[in-house]
Amino acid sequence: MAKTSKDNVRMIANNKKARFDFFIEETYEAGISLHGTEVKSLRMGKCSIKEAFVRIEQGEVFIYGMHISPYEKGNIFNKDPLRVKKLLLHRQEIHKLLGQIKQKGYTLVPLMVYFKGSLVKIQIGLARGKKLYDKREDIAKKDQRREAEKNFKVKNLY
């Protein structure tokens, strides 16, 4: 079977801090409602989702704080870089997310923005906040892994 053009995935922006601050329970892929110059700006890789968050309002999903830099050749057609963007999900996925968010401590966070073929997609995660001691645990594990890799590298040099 031949590969279709939709199989090639190219990452635009990644939210590393989300995985540090939250336990990601489930991930969902959503489309984004964008205007032409925003897509051109994304093709150039000018996007940031570090401070972004996702909300469900009146049965629709929106992303706030996602910064898409204005396209330099776009002049009057450029939109506000921080405008609220609508995410495109199936109705049953929205209802499922809404039910899970009502549980204490759950939220939706954007994880990654990418091109899937010619379409712009965003990966959002159903997340539960980490406590300070959870973050310390993660840092300790990362330090142990780094130390082990360093020792392994030193042993292999001799």
Side-chain angles (χ1 to χ4, degrees):
M1 184 178 255
K3 269 188 158 182
T4 61
S5 63
K6 286 195 171 197
D7 288 341
N8 56 348
V9 174
R10 193 183 71 153
M11 190 170 71
I12 302 167
N14 194 4
N15 191 356
K16 293 179 184 173
K17 192 139 176 73
R19 295 196 187 275
F20 180 74
D21 289 338
F22 299 98
F23 291 113
I24 308 299
E25 306 282 325
E26 287 184 61
T27 59
Y28 294 89
E29 180 181 72
I32 311 175
S33 180
L34 297 171
H35 293 280
T37 55
E38 290 176 322
V39 177
K40 289 179 180 181
S41 187
L42 285 175
R43 289 207 184 282
M44 295 170 65
K46 304 209 172 167
C47 176
S48 173
I49 55 172
K50 285 189 171 109
E51 289 89 36
F53 59 96
V54 179
R55 277 204 184 134
I56 300 176
E57 296 170 353
Q58 298 163 1
E60 294 182 332
V61 184
F62 296 96
I63 184 164
Y64 293 83
M66 178 179 173
H67 186 276
I68 298 176
S69 297
Y71 184 58
E72 58 247 6
K73 297 176 183 149
N75 57 39
I76 61 168
F77 299 108
N78 281 334
K79 300 290 180 186
D80 177 32
L82 288 172
R83 78 176 181 87
V84 178
K85 294 153 193 74
K86 183 177 176 181
L87 299 183
L88 309 171
L89 284 164
H90 292 285
R91 177 96 32 230
Q92 62 267 25
E93 286 180 320
I94 294 172
H95 289 307
K96 182 180 176 186
L97 285 171
L98 197 55
Q100 290 175 326
I101 286 176
K102 293 200 180 191
Q103 295 179 24
K104 190 176 180 229
Y106 281 99
T107 187
L108 289 174
V109 291
L111 300 174
M112 180 169 58
V113 179
Y114 56 94
F115 278 108
K116 188 172 185 181
S118 62
L119 304 174
V120 179
K121 300 285 186 178
I122 184 165
Q123 186 179 48
I124 58 174
L126 180 69
R128 188 169 39 89
K130 284 185 180 178
K131 304 281 188 242
L132 184 61
Y133 56 84
D134 293 326
K135 292 179 188 179
R136 285 185 188 141
E137 244 175 59
D138 284 352
I139 291 170
K141 284 179 187 175
K142 191 164 52 170
D143 287 345
Q144 286 174 347
R145 191 180 73 242
R146 193 178 298 130
E147 190 69 32
E149 287 172 358
K150 184 177 162 186
N151 290 338
F152 181 73
K153 190 174 181 181
V154 169
K155 287 179 185 175
N156 285 343
L157 287 176
Y158 297 108

